[in-house]
Amino acid sequence: MGRFRGGLRCIKYLLLGFNLLFWLAGSAVIAFGLWFRFGGTMKDLSSEDKSPEYFYVGLYVLVGAGALMMAVGFFGCCGAMRESQCVLGSFFTCLLVIFAAEVTTGVFAFIGKGVAIRHIQTMYEEAYNDYLKDRGKGNGTLITFHSTFQCCGKESSERVQPTCPKELLGHKNCIDEIETIISVKLQLIGIVGIGIAGLTIFGMIFSMVLCCAIRNSRDVI
């Protein structure tokens, strides 16, 4: 009996440690998503009339999942400390929801990468053409694109040179730069999403093992 209670206590401490890690991971995910949305390369594009909402969907899901992770981490600690099967069962359900959300984010980031890149490239093409038709109309949007991606024009920068960053050395094709930068960022989002999904699997395993151990201990008593 003492050995059984010792094993139960060990599993409980493992789950408590997991929940602390899970809470910290949730904080990091929120910070990561908010920085990508408002403090990274894409922050200036959000102020434009045609912001890349497709790109932001994955970030919104990521931030929402991070907030849920923080709440669930605290919730899981309470269930482990009280050795409540009901709370642990609810904790498992919440982890399952987070797992689904993070897998969705990861898959969305990897599979939807091409669509997001084409969407932003189309936005740039429209701003580029608007500038050539009316230099006053497309001036601000084109400057934002060039500043955000540190690029200038397409095949040549001569036609849009006044809108290019002054610190930019040489010519960089914006169509290529958009593809490179967005591809890297979406890969990072996908890696974070899949990584957190993997972490939740351990939490689900610990919670179920602890729940079964609590039930068995009560049956023994």
Side-chain angles (χ1 to χ4, degrees):
M1 181 65 181
R3 183 179 298 178
F4 188 86
R5 290 299 301 177
L8 177 62
R9 192 178 301 112
C10 180
I11 298 171
K12 181 168 72 173
Y13 289 148
L14 282 174
L15 186 57
L16 286 171
F18 167 82
N19 279 295
L20 177 60
L21 179 63
F22 203 61
W23 189 90
L24 293 174
S27 303
V29 167
I30 292 175
F32 176 81
L34 291 178
W35 179 80
F36 253 22
R37 177 62 177 83
F38 299 107
T41 304
M42 301 300 295
K43 65 174 181 178
D44 294 326
L45 293 182
S46 63
S47 62
E48 300 300 322
D49 293 334
K50 297 179 181 179
S51 59
E53 290 300 324
Y54 189 92
F55 175 82
Y56 295 140
V57 169
L59 293 180
Y60 295 145
V61 174
L62 202 64
V63 171
L68 185 59
M69 285 170 65
M70 292 184 67
V72 169
F74 177 77
F75 188 61
C77 285
C78 294
M81 291 298 296
R82 296 180 59 185
E83 297 185 5
S84 169
Q85 289 180 275
C86 180
V87 175
L88 287 172
S90 300
F91 173 68
F92 177 89
T93 303
C94 290
L95 286 180
L96 192 59
V97 171
I98 294 173
F99 175 80
E102 295 295 352
V103 168
T104 300
T105 299
V107 171
F108 175 87
F110 286 116
I111 295 187
K113 181 171 61 175
V115 176
I117 290 171
R118 286 193 297 273
H119 178 60
I120 298 175
Q121 286 175 335
T122 300
M123 288 174 56
Y124 177 77
E125 295 270 8
E126 291 175 353
Y128 184 92
N129 293 331
D130 286 343
Y131 176 79
L132 295 182
K133 292 177 183 177
D134 184 348
R135 300 203 171 198
K137 180 181 178 182
N139 185 52
T141 303
L142 204 59
I143 289 175
T144 298
F145 266 104
H146 289 161
S147 175
T148 299
F149 293 98
Q150 285 298 295
C151 59
C152 186
K154 296 190 287 185
E155 293 80 8
S156 171
S157 61
E158 293 179 3
R159 305 180 72 183
V160 293
Q161 190 62 50
T163 65
C164 298
K166 295 180 179 179
E167 67 275 12
L168 184 65
L169 300 176
H171 167 63
K172 287 186 178 181
N173 189 316
C174 283
I175 299 299
D176 294 337
E177 289 299 307
I178 288 171
E179 181 176 1
T180 300
I181 292 173
I182 298 302
S183 178
V184 169
K185 289 188 175 296
L186 284 176
Q187 283 178 358
L188 284 174
I189 293 172
I191 290 170
V192 170
I194 297 299
I196 296 300
L199 183 62
T200 59
I201 292 176
F202 290 100
M204 288 189 285
I205 292 172
F206 287 147
S207 62
M208 283 296 96
V209 170
L210 180 58
C211 195
C212 292
I214 291 170
R215 183 175 65 249
N216 291 337
S217 68
R218 290 173 181 174
D219 290 342
V220 170
I221 294 172

